[in-house]
Amino acid sequence: MRNTLRRAFLAVGTVSFTCMLAFAADAAGDAPVNFQRQVRPILSDNCFLCHGPDQGTRMADLRLDIRTGAFATRKDGVVIVPGKPEESLLIKRVFAEKAAMRMPPAFSHKTLTQEQKDILRRWVAQGAPWKDHWAFVAPVRPALPDVKDTKWSRNPIDRFILAKLEANGLAPAPEASRRTLIRRVTLDLIGLPPTPAEVEAFVKDTSPDAYEKVVDRLLSSPHYGEQRAHYWLDAARYADTQGLHIDNYREMWPYRDWVINAFNKNLPFDKFTIYQLAGDLLPNATLDQKIASGFQRCNVTTNEGGSIPAEVDAMYAKDRADTMGTTWLGLTVGCATCHDHKFDPISQKDYYSLTSFFRNTTQYALDGNVSDTPPVVVVPRSEDRKSWDELTARRHELLNTLSGIGTGQSNAAFEKWLQSSSRKRAAKFPLASSQLLAVNLEKDAALVRRGHQKGLTLPAAVTLGEGPSGLGKALVFSKETEVSLANVPEIDTDKPFTIAMWVWLPRDDQGLVFARQKDSKKEGDSSKDWGWTIGVERYNTEPQVPTIHLNGADGKSLTARPSADYALKAKKWYHLTFSYDGSRNRKGLAIYIDGSLVPSYGDGSDFPPLESSIRATSPVILGTKDKEGFDQGAIADFRILNRRVDELDAKQLYEADALQVAAKQKVPDLTATGRQALLTYYTAQVDSAGKKAASELHKVDAQRMEIALRGSTTFVQQERTDTQPMAHVLYRGLYDQMREEVHPNVPSVLPPMPASVPKNRLGLAEWLVEPSNPLTSRVTVNRYWQQVFGTGIVKTAGDFGSQGEPPSNAELLDWLAVEFRESGWDMKHMFRLLVTSAAYRQSAESTPLKLERDLDNRLISRGPRFRMDAEMVRDYALASSGLLAPKLGGPSVKPYQPPHIWDAVAMDNSNTRFYKADTGDKLYRRSLYTFWKRSAPPPSMDIFNAPSREVCVVSRERTNTPLQALVTMNDPQFVEAARVLAQKALLSSQSDLNGEVNYLANHLMARDLDGKEKDIVGRSYQDFLAYYQSAPQDAEKLISVGETKADPSVPAPRLAALTMVANELLNLDEVLAK
Amino acid sequence: MKLTDQALLTETRRQFFGRGARGLGSLALFSLLNESASAATAGKPAFGGLPGLPHFAPKAKRAIYLHMLGAPPQMELFDYKPGMEKWFDKDLPESIRKGQRLTTMTAGQTRFPIAPSVFKFKQYGQNGTWISDLLPYTAKMVDDMAIIRTMHTDAINHEPAVTFLQTGFMIAGKPCIGSWISYGLGSMNQSLPTFVVMNATHSNPKANVQAISARLWSSGFLSGQYSGVALRSGGDPVLYIGNPEGVPTKVRRRMLDALGEMNEIQAKQIADPETQVRISQYEMAFRMQTSVPDLTDISKEPESTFKLYGEDARKGGTFANCCLMARRMMERDVRFVQVYHRGWDVHGLLPEVLPSQCKDVDQGSYALVQDLKARGLLDDTLVIWGGEFGRTIYSQGKLTPTDYGRDHHPRCFSIWMAGGGIKGGVVHGETDEFSYNVVKDPVHVRDFQATILNRFGIDDARFTFKFQGLDQKLTGTEKKAIVVKDILA
């Protein structure tokens, strides 16, 4: 048997162990060959590269991946003649004597073994039964198989498992001990060890449903969501930094908390899917649904100098399509980036159709190196959520009220006012009472109103030109000219203000300043200036965008700018309004273009608020004396107000010129613009309901801002409304090699999108959870299986395609998949099923027979036992010592980390260049809250195979390396945990070594040590003690590791010795394995 | 034979025979088998590695890759273009640029004024190879080096370019060269990591620094055990290698003895092969705790060492120190050492910054090659020096006779290799008079990668790992890589 086995290993490479057993058995006789499990993998692995779905590399016009190709008649014969291997070209070529004729050819570096050839021949001889690839056929609930042992099964899972075991001549292992069981199930469901009290309670509970009660308790624990989330966040590639280049902080944790809560609330998986792929597209999307759409914003982004936005956009869309493909479809769709998929029937066109779902986003390619790259949403603190929602709803109502004035029933009143003489009052600037300064230019005279300077002398090089409205004039600059306005000292950090103007830019490829007020500590060194600056900035070849900087005297600054989507074009008038609310926070800055608010971002939000003053006593300068200056540029209607403005105000600023003209015109002469300006004025200043609403809106906005400043932001997805999703096929995946235009659609090999769903992300999400979808349910339950049993029923959890491994128990997978869907996508139900099965409850002990026939435990001939994940290893130490801070959610934290992990790799100007560990509780939070810098992940997590969170990962690797031993032996986190636990043991056991050691064992292993173990541990304790008594200074050093302090009442040598014992036990295979 | 041993052997063979070493941690497993298949041909005991590898007799057993991150300007160092002086401030002819894509940093420039190098060149060695005055030490060893002047790449920005050079792919997720080699050939020692990475400091605060990240020494889809292990100059040289304060070696040893005994009990009870693996990994960790401090302790190096490498070599983290460490690791049969030196991204202030960058690395690079040679290690140790792409002949930003910068340039750049089966005194390939396009013997990144593998006795086309259903290769699946035969000894 062993020899046969070994040959099989040699032969088949990646094919599963179960499968090999089948080979071994088949080799002896004429047992029916299983096409799905035995034949298709051979064809796929060896033939599809040249005779598969990719038409670009297909040879001899032959396809072996589809039935019509495999049974085709060709000029030299028939590829496969069922029942007649000797007449089948396939068999002839595979067995060809001459190397030149033999398939696969030498250049492919593939060879078929004798066994593989025999399988093909026998399959053809048996009639060559052909089936479509199993994973593309929707699962149907299979009947429960018959089993000999009718007593063992506890639920349907067990029938499928037992049937396989019996077929392989194996019997299940006995049920694990209660101690093992509660430890295992607690770790699987909440990722933490059970407390000794929980263990004892379960051991003593004699009720028949004692175990089920434990399971229910764990499923309702808030830690359940944390444990589930850490797997999901791997798929979502969640992290706390951008990932590329400067790798700055990204505020994204509200998404992580949403995931945890979704699991805890047991959000049905169909909704879980829809919210994350398209929460933003749901009608009246809630804040939570929008936060969920952050799934798509977790990808790595860049702002690297020189990046080409079109290339970066293509990269993001690819990442999103690949992530969706891996996570829900279990398909390597990304293989079709450069060419048709080599193995699965996914054409390049199919692939780019998938990417098109994700390309119609308002997100701009370059992330701006900020923590809140739009689109983002404000996430109020939980205690503010209610008022935030109320205020938001109220704001909506007020805006409706405002936009309703002058229309419908209230139209008559407006018309009446239009006819009245009081309309003339509108000629006066409506926000005049807030005005600090205005530059109005009429006819040939420059006039400054309400400023501190009445007249204005223009330098000769500044002329008056045509203004935007034809009414007022504009200042037209030439090289090296500027206009100086008297001091406006009211502008300061703690005061709200607004600056508005019309600008006309001569070029669209320059960055320039066109208004500023700055004091300088040192002439010529602008880094020491303070004040404010308004201009346009451009990033490399990016278009120019309006920007405001507030610079404090201490060198800190606030900046706001919109993305390049809001770039200003040359030779066109724009009205710009920059508003600041005096909050010292970047979020208090707002930019309006032509009266409309534009989403803006910029530096400052990651730093403490701007503390110092920006107040400058110098004049306000328009234009610039730089060499090129604002040559041929123009500014008109420049105003400074002493308050922040809202949308209605900004609109009035924008329409001020038009209003002046319209106020004096006769009704029949009014232009549409003039009429609109009058309506805005009427709404804001005349109509009583309007005035009331406007004033309330102002207050509501102020209250919302207070909440926003207390709260957080998180990245969301947002669909563009001005374009429809589309993409181009990119030749060889190159962003600038655009070919055919494609539109959102799903791969043709899968069921089509129903006509009822929209062709956008929402439709895609709904299609994923349609009952006809053959993959989503299977792929998802397979990962649940993997979490609990270590390996998926399909081992290649991210590849259910042709090259993926066939399921080790196809019927079980299908049963679970159907059960999941029919349960209403009830995730907790599935976990309850898994952990209450008899299969799960087996002891992990192995036998020689099991090691021979089921080495990897793919048949589940014993209970699952494998090394815990990175997070679990650390959380285990924290929890068992009692150090764990059980708080849920919130911003990520920075526990101990060796020095120079970040700054050894970071860019000088990265805001995650230096790692500063937190203190107090934040050192002891669960590991999924550890701050994740992508270019330098937390080393202890990395060493234990946590994925880097750069790309979607759906199954973790589990290696065993010496570096891991070094972590659990020497990382201060583990040393401190050992000491804290040892101290508790000493304080609880009153100088009884036996009691102390058992205290440790019960906290770490959920059991007492047996006699032999006690002896081993006890002897090591005595040796440690002897050492530390002889070297008390070393004892002091050891017990000083970590931020918590050792209890001075405990003798240092004893504590040190027992700390080493705890360290010893913490490193046991039994402890590190679940 | 004990039951678990038997199972282990079965498992180990299984890993040998096809499924890759991905499932279980295998380093220790292999050590149970003494020498692996690759050992016999390599002439060195090796642990791990794939059966059938190397494919043919290797010339190199170890390698040191000195990466100048940020991309050194080839026309200032190795690709002498004396004709450029008369082109000062003239526009690069359109016939040369051919409208190719530029980074967005210079794509907006209205002019592309040529900036001749301000640095002088002289001829060295038997071939009279032109080398810049900036590299006086390197110049002395041109007869040991093969200079490739015609490297070219597909990427135009640092992150993708260095990822491409290291992994054959511009997006993260694939294994780097060091990981591939560790996976294929295994380890030659049992107390140090197989693949070590160092990040050298640079001296000029004005140098424009590019980010590096763990992805550059990641094992991608290969098992995590093939990732590069960082050797650090501050704190623990290998993360967590030091025992906590107050835990001397004998206490750690005692703890490990008890731990081992306890684990043996568990191994008998549960019969999980992983337990045995864990036991041996703890022993390996303990050996590392001894051998790493021994590696990094340079107090016993004679004065002559610091004469050769320079006084900088005494200071942890400098490039010269990294070179010395690299030599010490070669002596201890570490398979692959990667050194990154940053600050080469000379978009501006080139005449000011480049000399200090060169000074940082020149003597150390020279000393390393000479030291290896003197110790008889150069014959089977490959040394590589270079950046991730080249730089433009035209100036980025303002051009004056004394100041200019250069943008990224993927179409040609220079690297050199020495030792490990590389012919000395060779200059390979030619670029046009603007150091802009390759005119003779282009070497694509994948050709370069294939050449490295070739020196290790590996045929890149046959060195694959199945991932996502594909036979993945370092050199990618798109085009065939061509080994640069002209530089092979």
Side-chain angles (χ1 to χ4, degrees), chain A residues 879-911:
Chain A
S880 54
S881 65
L883 274 172
L884 184 78
K887 176 178 155 36
L888 248 66
S892 294
V893 294
K894 302 191 182 90
Y896 306 126
Q897 178 167 294
H900 309 304
I901 298 292
W902 284 11
D903 52 297
V905 299
M907 303 272 289
D908 290 353
N909 48 351
S910 171
N911 64 16

Side-chain angles (χ1 to χ4, degrees), chain A residues 308-345:
Chain A
I308 298 164
E311 182 172 24
V312 174
D313 272 334
M315 178 178 99
Y316 295 171
K318 170 175 169 50
D319 175 278
R320 287 174 185 145
D322 292 359
T323 298
M324 185 281 299
T326 306
T327 307
W328 278 276
L329 299 176
L331 292 178
T332 57
V333 293
C335 292
T337 307
C338 307
H339 43 70
D340 294 342
H341 200 290
K342 299 286 183 193
F343 307 104
D344 295 324

Side-chain angles (χ1 to χ4, degrees), chain A residues 453-489:
Chain A
Q453 174 183 321
K454 288 292 176 195
L456 180 62
T457 318
L458 295 180
V462 176
T463 57
L464 292 184
E466 200 67 12
S469 62
L471 171 74
K473 294 285 178 183
L475 291 170
V476 181
F477 296 82
S478 55
K479 282 186 183 181
E480 299 178 42
T481 51
E482 53 185 37
V483 172
S484 174
L485 305 171
N487 294 353
V488 187

Side-chain angles (χ1 to χ4, degrees), chain A residues 182-254:
Chain A
I182 188 172
R183 182 174 178 276
R184 182 188 296 165
V185 74
T186 308
L187 285 170
D188 274 330
L189 292 184
I190 67 167
L192 298 170
T195 64
E198 286 163 357
V199 176
E200 294 316 313
F202 177 53
V203 168
K204 286 186 188 127
D205 188 347
T206 54
S207 59
D209 60 346
Y211 179 72
E212 284 72 13
K213 283 189 292 190
V214 169
V215 170
D216 285 338
R217 169 173 64 77
L218 294 169
L219 285 172
S220 55
S221 158
H223 298 308
Y224 164 83
E226 294 176 321
Q227 169 69 353
R228 296 280 78 78
H230 92 268
Y231 296 107
W232 184 259
L233 295 174
D234 285 352
R237 70 270 190 253
Y238 166 83
D240 296 304
T241 62
Q242 301 155 342
L244 291 172
H245 207 60
I246 292 201
D247 201 25
N248 269 353
Y249 171 63
R250 165 190 289 181
E251 192 161 70
M252 192 74 216
W253 59 265

Side-chain angles (χ1 to χ4, degrees), chain A residues 812-839:
Chain A
L812 173 58
L813 181 66
D814 285 0
W815 188 91
L816 289 168
V818 175
E819 177 70 15
F820 186 34
R821 180 164 48 74
E822 292 186 351
S823 72
W825 301 97
D826 183 340
M827 298 196 258
K828 283 191 180 177
H829 168 69
M830 296 313 289
F831 278 96
R832 187 182 284 107
L833 266 178
L834 296 183
V835 302
T836 56
S837 68

